[in-house]
Structure formats: structure tokens, C-alpha cells
Amino acid sequence: LHQPIILFSDGQIPEIVEQNLLNDPIIGPNLIIFNKELLDGADIALSVLADVFIGNPASVTSGFIARSRISLGMEQNYLWRKKRKEDFGGSSWFSVCNDECIFKPKIMEGLI
């Protein structure tokens, strides 16, 4: 995990970035934070071309990025993740829906 981790932030919840990500001994040194307002669309291009994309399934922008990546045949799209109840203090996550969920209007309508 010695690769840059780029975070596009809208700045709405800065304490998550400041307290959790920047202070993490593994993520913090590799973290680059961009304010979305300064990028003028470059955030979408970088996200579509990234090795891994972790997005918010309730975000229209994340949905667009995931659909673009899937259409280009790119994998490693993480929108549908949930933490295991029995491992709440740990780091055990699992997928609750595959990439095809992003193309199902009924699922997406429930999020927005």
C-alpha cells in the first residue's frame, strides 16, 4: 500500500479526514486531498481511470464514475460495502451488491 491515495472531498465532514484518515499510520502518509471545487471535472477523469474506486452509492457523481468504469471494463469498484456486525471494531467488510446494481434504477432511486 505504498501508492498515493487520492481523496476528493466536498469538505462537508472535515473531521473524518482530519481525525481518521490523516492520523492513520498506513493511509495518512500516502493521502492526497483535493478539494472538489478546484478540480473542475478532473476528479471524475482521475476517478474513472484509477486502479481502485471507492465511492458513495448515494452520490450521483459516484454512480456516474462507477458506470463509466464498468462500461470500460474496469473492476475494483467499491460502492456496495458493509461492515460485518460481528467484527464491528475490526476491518472485515463485504459486498452487499455487485457492480450490476449501479445499472438498476429501483436500487438507485432508493438512495437518492
Side-chain angles (χ1 to χ4, degrees), residues 50-99:
D51 291 332
V52 176
F53 175 68
I54 303 170
N56 177 352
S59 163
V60 173
T61 303
S62 288
F64 174 79
I65 292 165
R67 283 189 299 277
S68 299
R69 289 175 54 84
I70 293 165
S71 297
L72 292 170
M74 300 178 81
E75 298 178 355
Q76 309 255 3
N77 302 299
Y78 298 100
L79 270 80
W80 314 99
R81 306 290 287 168
K82 185 175 182 179
K83 189 170 253 194
R84 294 190 190 282
K85 288 182 182 179
E86 63 272 10
D87 188 28
F88 194 75
S91 59
S92 180
W93 293 78
F94 66 101
S95 291
V96 294
C97 197
N98 61 23
D99 283 345

